[in-house]
Amino acid sequence: GIQHRVFPAERWIRFKYDLPLKKSSLLKRINLLRNFIVKNSIDLVYTNTAVICEGALAAALEQKTHIWHIHEYLFEHPELKPIFPIDYTLKVIMKLSDKVICASDYVKSQFPELKEGPFENVLTTIYNGINDYKINVSVLSETKTHKENENISIVCVGLLSKTKDYETFLKTAKYCIHRNSQLTFSWIGGGELNDIEHFLKFVKENQLDGKVNYLGYRNNTRDLIFESDILICTSLMETFSLSILEAMSGSKPVVSTNCGGPSEII
């Protein structure tokens, strides 16, 4: 029953493949939101990513409360590039917000300390959560022991990308499988065609067919995590990780690189 409208937005913190919106300008996009705010007597504007700024600017011009929820860590990000210098971008986020919610202390640590005036208490950390759901208690309560010829399944969940560092996943799988043939590795998550081709090429060239699998995007990720034995995270940078929370909720051991948010969760 929540009303919703779709408005155009363009990233001011861009991926390399981003293109400008045709027949659109920042001023026009802000004015669309300003008109909506006034017409509907909006009191508070909430922006749920660092990469767009239209909501923050519209709220400022209409003198409305603005909350900015930040899920990204911008320094040395392998894919996201701000239009402006990062320090300046982060200061703008703070100055245009009554509150900045960070998805982890790792995310919070990138912001400069602005202790003067009203900026002293702008930043706060609120961790993401997962929905309450019914877990198959019988599955979790069983003591899972592996027979001599039974495989041990290891999964990684996320977009197949450089940030998630699937190359380290592949090298790890190769290293481990050569030492224990009972291990199987699976990657769950969508990806760009060239990354998928690279992944499958590595598997073929290293004779890992049947041992290392690319499962693609799935709607039953949580079930696949629960059916596995171990979840791993090989990311270069991770501000948080819902898949780690899901694995831990299913009593699964987790192994992660020291890449930000996962260190806080684990």
Side-chain angles (χ1 to χ4, degrees), residues 69-86:
H69 200 155
I70 308 299
H71 303 268
E72 300 84 5
Y73 187 91
L74 300 180
F75 288 99
E76 298 181 355
H77 196 289
E79 294 173 292
L80 284 174
K81 303 298 178 188
I83 294 174
F84 303 107
I86 293 175

Side-chain angles (χ1 to χ4, degrees), residues 52-66:
I52 59 171
C53 62
E54 286 89 343
L57 292 169
L61 291 169
E62 292 300 325
Q63 298 183 318
K64 301 295 183 179
T65 300
H66 180 254

Side-chain angles (χ1 to χ4, degrees), residues 146-147 149-153 181-184 210-211 229:
H146 285 272
K147 299 176 183 178
N149 296 320
E150 188 177 11
N151 286 333
I152 298 170
S153 60
S181 61
Q182 291 177 233
L183 300 177
T184 63
K211 289 292 186 180
D229 298 296

Side-chain angles (χ1 to χ4, degrees), residues 5-265:
R5 287 279 303 277
V6 179
F7 291 96
E10 186 175 314
R11 293 187 183 97
W12 72 315
I13 301 171
R14 297 178 180 275
F15 290 97
K16 60 182 179 181
Y17 51 77
D18 280 337
L19 296 172
L21 295 176
K22 293 182 179 179
K23 298 180 180 180
S24 178
S25 70
L26 179 60
L27 183 59
K28 287 181 180 179
R29 296 195 299 273
I30 292 171
N31 285 336
L32 281 173
L33 286 173
R34 291 182 68 182
N35 292 336
F36 183 81
I37 288 168
V38 172
K39 183 178 178 181
N40 293 275
S41 301
I42 300 297
D43 296 307
L44 182 148
V45 178
Y46 168 83
T47 301
N48 192 32
T49 174
V51 303
I52 59 171
C53 62
E54 286 89 343
L57 292 169
L61 291 169
E62 292 300 325
Q63 298 183 318
K64 301 295 183 179
T65 300
H66 180 254
I67 296 175
W68 210 324
H69 200 155
I70 308 299
H71 303 268
E72 300 84 5
Y73 187 91
L74 300 180
F75 288 99
E76 298 181 355
H77 196 289
E79 294 173 292
L80 284 174
K81 303 298 178 188
I83 294 174
F84 303 107
I86 293 175
D87 282 335
Y88 176 79
T89 300
L90 294 170
K91 287 179 181 178
V92 168
I93 288 173
M94 293 181 71
K95 289 180 181 293
L96 289 178
S97 304
D98 295 270
K99 206 74 175 177
V100 176
I101 300 172
C102 300
S104 63
D105 286 337
Y106 174 67
V107 173
K108 186 179 177 181
S109 69
Q110 71 186 312
F111 282 89
E113 291 188 16
L114 296 181
K115 294 183 178 180
E116 73 276 8
F119 304 112
E120 185 174 357
N121 298 311
V122 169
L123 293 169
T124 188
T125 297
I126 300 177
Y127 292 118
N128 297 326
I130 55 176
N131 292 333
D132 189 19
Y133 57 92
K134 293 182 180 179
I135 300 174
N136 188 336
V137 178
S138 63
V139 172
L140 299 183
S141 62
E142 292 173 2
T143 303
K144 194 166 186 180
T145 56
H146 285 272
K147 299 176 183 178
E148 187 174 343
N149 296 320
E150 188 177 11
N151 286 333
I152 298 170
S153 60
I154 301 166
V155 297
C156 185
V157 179
L159 183 70
L160 197 71
S161 67
K162 290 182 175 62
T163 305
K164 300 292 184 182
D165 197 5
Y166 66 86
E167 290 192 3
T168 290
F169 170 86
L170 290 169
K171 291 174 183 176
T172 301
K174 178 183 176 182
Y175 178 90
C176 293
I177 290 167
H178 284 174
R179 285 154 181 77
N180 185 343
S181 61
Q182 291 177 233
L183 300 177
T184 63
F185 285 75
S186 298
W187 187 288
I188 305 168
E192 296 292 324
L193 183 59
N194 59 337
D195 290 317
I196 296 171
E197 289 175 347
H198 187 176
F199 185 102
L200 298 176
K201 182 181 179 182
F202 183 97
V203 171
K204 185 175 181 179
E205 289 179 347
N206 290 277
Q207 293 84 47
L208 295 171
D209 296 277
K211 289 292 186 180
V212 178
N213 308 293
Y214 174 65
L215 303 183
Y217 177 81
R218 296 296 183 94
N219 288 320
N220 62 334
T221 299
R222 189 174 287 160
D223 294 334
L224 293 171
I225 292 173
F226 285 177
E227 290 169 5
S228 70
D229 298 296
I230 301 168
L231 181 125
I232 66 172
C233 169
T234 60
S235 296
L236 296 171
M237 181 181 292
E238 195 78 50
T239 57
F240 200 76
S241 175
L242 290 177
S243 61
I244 288 178
L245 284 192
E246 289 171 338
M248 293 171 75
S249 75
S251 300
K252 301 298 177 181
V254 176
V255 180
S256 175
T257 50
N258 186 14
C259 58
S263 304
E264 297 174 48
I265 304 169

